[in-house]
Amino acid sequence: MSIHSAVVDQVTAGSRQSATFDLTVAAQRETRYRIVETPAAFALDSPLTEALHSARGTTLIVVDDAVWATSRRKIQEYLDVVTVAHRVLVLPGGESNKTLEHVLRVVEEMDECVTPRRSSPIVAIGGGVVCDVVGFAASVYRRGVPYIRVPTTLLAQVDVSVAIKTGVNRGGYRNRLGAFWPAKLTVLDRHFLATQSVVEISHGLGEIFKLAVIKSPELFGQLEQLPAGWSPAWIATDELSAQFSRLAVAEMAEDLGTNLWEDDLARCVDFGHSFSPLIEMRNGQHHGHAVALDGLLSSCLAAERGLIDGETLERIVAVMRRCALPTSHPDYADVDLLWESFRETIAHRDGHQHLPLPTAIGRCTFIEDLSRDELPGAVRLMRRVTENRR
């Protein structure tokens, strides 16, 4: 039956009963976006160049201030060659700058550029914060304009690069405002990683560690091969590092591909994101470090329930140390704070716990019956296993 005839039938039936109108619209739209690794993002034969050549009008380029400080001349010379016209906006990175105010700065710059709705994508060059801010601005400007990402941190390359989520922090909560809006293109260039500190690299390794524990024995095995004393330069150039970074991207894409809009809120990739979000926001922890600590606590909960054995738990701690990840923090011994944070997560998961716990390296289950009384035992086990006492 056509929509028109359904309306006519309803109106005709009004002589026999109260007129009603109940219409359900079902629509589908294919989502396709590209993630490509290149040896040089700012080369004339790079995928970024191809995308910028087809842009019309003035292209807005939003650059992380840390990247601008080290690569300004290179970026500017590149843009002068490959764009008809461009405008550069430099924004600060860091979680404290992931704000609606910075989204509005991007919107104002788009107005100055008279950004066309479809034919001139905005370009974000920087870490996860700048990519999220630009993505959110693109999602709301004219109800959606295309954008391109060039993530320059390990965390952004293995996590932000795959997801279609954008967002900003608000009211003391992480990603309280946001939208699902895929980047048209994401360009990965590993050479940026050599400019990061060991702490920043370990921050990214926290997200790779999360995926390894909960989803990929192969990825976990690669992390176990990390050499002692690795450096950012090694991470940027070594083939093993390239392998586990690419595998992490592929594993993330496989998991998200069937659930991009989070219709199903029970997600294994939320491992490490059950207790950490509120703690991270309140105390300024690095995201990857908070995820890893949350993952360790969750693994201790799994061990307390008999889902994994002591040897598996010790392997998890050993990999954390290889990744230069913290294995303890006072906030993860504060049961009241942990429970408060978990209750906020339950609200985010629509009233369900959906708590992912490992059952082996690379496998997980979801539980819905965690009680506050279980947390002290997991906290004690976390302390013992990180102090090498069983």
Side-chain angles (χ1 to χ4, degrees), residues 53-269:
H53 271 323
S54 62
R56 296 203 327 237
T58 300
T59 302
L60 177 60
I61 312 293
V62 185
V63 188
D64 189 309
D65 60 357
V67 178
W68 192 243
T70 59
S71 306
R72 175 175 182 168
R73 181 176 177 180
K74 183 177 183 180
I75 294 171
Q76 191 64 69
E77 289 177 349
Y78 171 76
L79 294 174
D80 288 342
V81 172
V82 302
T83 64
V84 174
H86 64 267
R87 186 182 182 97
V88 175
L89 170 64
V90 179
L91 286 182
E95 203 68 24
S96 64
N97 294 302
K98 193 173 172 181
T99 64
L100 188 58
E101 289 70 25
H102 281 118
V103 170
L104 295 178
R105 281 194 64 191
V106 176
V107 167
E108 289 166 0
E109 291 293 326
M110 284 191 278
D111 279 339
E112 291 294 325
C113 291
V114 195
T115 299
R117 190 170 180 185
R118 294 284 183 265
S119 57
S120 187
I122 312 156
V123 180
I125 304 171
V129 167
V130 168
C131 288
D132 273 352
V133 165
V134 171
F136 189 34
S139 77
V140 297
Y141 191 77
R142 302 186 189 277
R143 299 189 181 91
V145 296
Y147 75 109
I148 294 170
R149 296 181 292 205
V150 183
T152 58
T153 66
L154 182 60
L155 180 84
Q157 290 190 3
V158 301
D159 183 42
V160 175
S161 68
V162 184
I164 68 169
K165 295 192 291 188
T166 71
V168 295
N169 305 327
R170 193 72 175 172
Y173 295 96
R174 192 168 183 272
N175 295 324
R176 183 47 55 95
L177 302 177
F180 294 101
W181 192 246
K184 175 182 178 181
L185 171 68
T186 298
V187 179
L188 308 180
D189 181 347
R190 296 182 55 77
H191 289 102
F192 284 116
L193 304 183
T195 67
Q196 293 195 270
S197 68
V198 170
V199 171
E200 288 169 329
I201 294 291
S202 72
H203 174 37
L205 288 172
E207 284 286 354
I208 299 177
F209 160 80
K210 169 201 78 175
L211 285 169
V213 172
I214 212 69
K215 193 174 186 296
S216 176
E218 180 183 357
L219 183 57
F220 193 90
Q222 290 176 345
L223 291 182
E224 287 183 309
Q225 298 175 46
L226 266 171
W230 53 262
S231 66
W234 183 90
I235 292 290
T237 58
D238 189 83
E239 183 57 29
L240 173 62
S241 172
Q243 286 177 9
F244 65 63
S245 297
R246 292 164 187 160
L247 180 56
V249 171
E251 292 284 3
M252 181 72 81
E254 179 183 71
D255 195 82
L256 296 184
T258 58
N259 191 29
L260 277 175
W261 283 267
E262 297 184 11
D263 298 307
D264 183 358
L265 295 177
R267 308 185 326 136
C268 75
V269 292

Side-chain angles (χ1 to χ4, degrees), residues 263-268 270-271 274 342 345-346 348-357 365-369:
D263 298 307
D264 183 358
L265 295 177
R267 308 185 326 136
C268 75
D270 278 340
F271 178 67
S274 298
F342 187 51
T345 296
I346 290 171
H348 186 65
R349 296 174 185 168
D350 198 37
H352 301 279
Q353 291 191 0
H354 293 329
L355 176 59
L357 298 180
T365 189
F366 295 92
I367 68 168
E368 303 292 344
D369 61 346

